[in-house]
């Protein structure tokens, strides 16, 4: 295993770490508040939270028609 | 000091710097911050459809953007296209290789893709009089774990060869190769604005990538085993991952760190798949223990369970309108719940 390919690989690792170290980080409290706001604002448009009435449910159990 | 030694030292210093910056931003965690939020309702969903037709384990499923059709892939060597409203099979696509691990529906509804241990991503046109193979994307040197269409002309794949690739479907060639993981890539998820995507791998890391320039922008640590499932939060600012370490985690992109872990001492099965409800409040996570657990994404509490499969839940999907959740299993059935 050639030493120079190890050095090339290591250079890439260092380059990537430099890039990732330089980003700006937002405080978790602020990020959490915005995430909560998004959830709450969209809650009424979330059928899994509001429930689906059987009249509007495309997956409602299919009723069987029988001839009387 | 040799060049190698110097670089190792710099790498360690940078890692320490990143950890310190994350800690400085960690003034709370998601569960504490959500203590004032009303709990999610107890979620009790019923099976509305059981789709029978596959003859072997189902490995993947994906909804069409019309919220009605879906594609599923099984190691019986077939892709099946289902009309979820009627429960009928609309199409069957025989696969050259039965060792399929993923399938995808193009946003247009015109194309579907599949791939697996053949190391290839095969794209099919559903709209020609007879379903035709339009491309075989052949450059990965490992299995195809996941594929997602950006459009009818571009598709993203993740592979056991540790790379992700953006392909041009007109030429069949690789446009961009995303190199940085050191373990098999197992899953990927496109951001809502389609400018970036996240990948999860067997190196227990999740990575955020810029689709156009190929740059790995951020790396998320915390899992202690393979990440099998990943999804963007609908807001685009967070991601949810599921792992063989039996936990799901939320990472906030702007805070660059884990903000909550979804776990339970009684749960000791790996997470195979996951998807989110329309608002992001609920996480539907499929596990090796045959169940799909439902988590409150803000509070970290389990709020429901989908039990009904007789084998591992291998895939989970919520359609774009959020009207239901579909689970697919090694028991060869797909179930639709709401």
């Amino acid at each position: 295993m050639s030493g120079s390919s190890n050095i090339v690989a290591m250079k890439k690792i260092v380059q990537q770490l430099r890039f990732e170290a330089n980003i700006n980080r937002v405080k978790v409290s602020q990020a959490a508040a915005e995430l909560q706001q998004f959830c709450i604002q969209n809650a009424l448009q979330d059928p899994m939270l509001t429930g689906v009435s059987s009249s509007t449910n495309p997956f409602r159990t299919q009723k069987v028609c029988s001839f009387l | 000091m040799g060049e190698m030694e110097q670089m190792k030292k710099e790498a360690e210093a940078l890692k320490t710097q990143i950890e310190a910056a994350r800690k400085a931003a960690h003034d709370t965690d998601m569960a504490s911050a959500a203590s004032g939020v009303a709990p999610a309702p107890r979620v009790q969903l019923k099976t509305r459809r059981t789709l029978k037709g596959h003859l072997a384990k189902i490995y993947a499923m994906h909804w069409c953007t019309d919220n009605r059709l879906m594609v599923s892939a099984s190691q019986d060597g077939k892709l099946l296209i289902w009309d979820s409203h009627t429960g009928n099979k609309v199409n069957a696509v025989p696969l050259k290789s039965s060792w399929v691990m993923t399938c995808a529906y193009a946003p247009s509804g015109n194309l579907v893709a599949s791939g697996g241990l053949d190391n290839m991503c095969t794209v099919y046109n559903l709209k020609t009089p007879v379903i035709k193979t339009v491309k075989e994307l052949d450059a990965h040197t490992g299995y195809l774990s996941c594929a997602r269409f950006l459009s009818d002309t571009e598709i993203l794949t993740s592979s056991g060869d540790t790379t992700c690739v953006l392909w041009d479907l007109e030429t069949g060639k690789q446009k961009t190769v995303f190199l940085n993981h050191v373990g098999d890539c197992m899953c990927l998820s496109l951001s809502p604005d389609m400018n970036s995507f996240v990948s999860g791998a067997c190196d227990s890391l999740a990575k955020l990538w810029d689709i156009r320039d190929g740059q790995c922008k951020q790396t998320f640590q915390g899992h202690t085993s393979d990440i099998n499932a990943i999804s963007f939060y609908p807001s685009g600012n967070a991601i949810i991952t599921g792992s063989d370490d039996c936990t799901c985690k939320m990472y906030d992109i702007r805070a660059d760190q884990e903000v909550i872990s979804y776990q339970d001492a009684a749960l000791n099965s790996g997470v195979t798949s996951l998807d989110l409800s329309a608002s992001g409040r609920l996480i539907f996570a499929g596990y090796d223990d045959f169940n799909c657990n439902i988590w409150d994404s803000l509070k970290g509490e389990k709020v429901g369970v989908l039990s009904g499969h007789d084998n591992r839940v291998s895939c989970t999907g919520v359609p774009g309108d959020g009207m239901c959740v579909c689970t697919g299993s090694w028991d060869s059935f797909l179930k639709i719940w709401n």
Side-chain angles (χ1 to χ4, degrees):
Chain A
M1 178 65 156
S2 95
S4 63
S5 69
N6 280 346
I7 291 199
V8 168
M10 199 61 203
K11 270 193 177 144
K12 283 194 177 149
I13 291 174
V14 171
Q15 222 168 21
Q16 180 63 33
L17 283 168
R18 276 185 199 150
F19 186 94
E20 291 184 18
N22 274 336
I23 65 169
N24 284 323
R25 291 168 181 84
V26 156
K27 290 241 192 287
V28 175
S29 54
Q30 186 192 333
E34 292 177 25
L35 210 71
Q36 279 168 34
Q37 198 182 31
F38 180 91
C39 264
I40 290 166
Q41 274 173 347
N42 288 285
L44 291 177
Q45 278 81 49
D46 186 339
M48 296 284 103
L49 287 177
T50 59
V52 186
S53 73
S54 32
S55 51
T56 54
N57 188 355
F59 304 106
R60 67 183 165 280
T61 317
Q62 292 153 319
K63 298 230 186 295
V64 178
C65 290
S66 47
F67 291 96
L68 297 169
Chain B
M1 207 190 295
E3 194 181 0
M4 195 61 170
E5 274 310 300
Q6 252 180 325
M7 287 198 290
K8 279 186 182 170
K9 242 193 134 193
E10 185 179 357
E12 287 314 304
L14 287 165
K15 286 180 191 172
T16 306
Q17 188 188 326
I18 290 172
E19 275 324 294
R22 285 180 175 151
K23 219 170 161 208
H26 195 89
D27 56 348
T28 184
D29 64 64
M30 184 65 65
S32 316
S35 54
V37 176
R42 192 94 207 141
V43 185
Q44 278 169 320
L45 306 181
K46 295 203 172 99
T47 305
R48 302 292 176 185
R49 298 279 183 277
T50 298
L51 304 178
K52 305 183 189 194
H54 279 301
L55 304 172
K57 294 174 175 169
I58 291 172
Y59 275 80
M61 61 80 47
H62 194 215
W63 284 96
C64 180
T65 49
D66 70 359
N67 304 314
R68 178 168 180 154
L69 297 176
M70 33 176 269
V71 59
S72 61
S74 162
Q75 293 203 346
D76 64 7
K78 287 210 167 40
L79 292 185
L80 290 178
I81 314 289
W82 305 86
D83 176 334
S84 63
H85 290 183
T86 61
N88 292 334
K89 297 177 243 329
V90 171
N91 270 314
V93 184
L95 303 175
K96 262 193 198 170
S97 162
S98 62
W99 304 114
V100 64
M101 295 174 68
T102 186
C103 60
Y105 225 122
S108 64
N110 295 329
L111 309 171
V112 288
S114 68
L117 295 182
D118 59 355
N119 298 0
M120 287 196 316
C121 179
T122 307
V123 179
Y124 310 86
N125 188 333
L126 295 177
K127 303 294 181 161
T128 43
V130 174
I131 295 175
K132 271 175 40 173
T133 299
V134 294
K135 274 289 178 293
E136 284 177 334
L137 306 172
D138 190 0
H140 278 300
T141 54
Y143 58 83
L144 205 83
S145 51
C146 191
R148 285 294 178 257
F149 286 92
L150 278 75
S151 65
D152 280 5
T153 54
E154 287 183 310
I155 193 169
L156 252 182
T157 56
S158 62
S159 170
D161 68 11
T162 79
T163 71
C164 297
V165 171
L166 177 68
W167 304 81
D168 179 329
L169 284 176
E170 287 167 329
T171 61
K173 299 271 180 271
Q174 300 169 300
K175 259 186 170 165
T176 314
V177 180
F178 302 89
L179 287 167
N180 207 268
H181 278 296
V182 295
D184 300 12
C185 289
M186 297 304 293
C187 51
L188 65 90
S189 174
L190 273 167
S191 66
D193 68 10
M194 308 260 278
N195 291 328
S196 49
F197 74 96
V198 284
S199 59
C202 292
D203 55 14
S204 69
L205 302 173
K207 287 181 182 284
L208 174 71
W209 307 85
D210 181 312
I211 285 189
R212 297 301 151 198
D213 68 21
Q215 171 75 45
C216 168
K217 298 197 290 187
Q218 284 170 251
T219 299
F220 302 99
Q221 307 161 296
H223 278 298
T224 53
S225 188
D226 306 355
I227 294 177
N228 298 316
I230 197 163
S231 180
F232 258 96
Y233 212 76
S235 64
N237 287 330
I239 62 171
I240 311 282
T241 52
S243 165
D244 273 349
D245 68 10
C246 314
T247 74
C248 293
K249 289 179 188 294
M250 180 194 289
Y251 295 93
D252 187 283
I253 290 177
R254 294 173 319 143
D256 186 45
Q257 58 189 278
E258 177 183 332
V259 292
I260 193 169
S261 187
Y262 308 96
Q263 59 192 82
D264 188 309
L267 272 176
N268 49 20
S269 302
V271 180
T272 60
S273 52
L274 65 90
D275 207 344
L276 299 172
S277 71
S279 66
R281 186 68 191 264
L282 300 175
I283 300 168
F284 299 97
Y287 290 72
D288 286 342
D289 69 359
F290 310 177
N291 289 329
C292 178
N293 289 313
I294 310 176
W295 298 90
D296 177 338
S297 67
L298 298 182
K299 288 180 172 284
E301 298 160 350
K302 207 168 87 160
V303 295
V305 142
L306 303 176
S307 295
H309 283 293
D310 295 323
N311 206 323
R312 175 184 290 198
V313 173
S314 55
C315 48
T316 308
V318 173
D321 62 1
M323 285 293 276
C324 67
V325 55
C326 178
T327 52
S329 167
W330 279 10
D331 68 9
S332 80
F333 302 122
L334 296 145
K335 284 180 184 288
I336 298 192
W337 313 73
N338 71 9

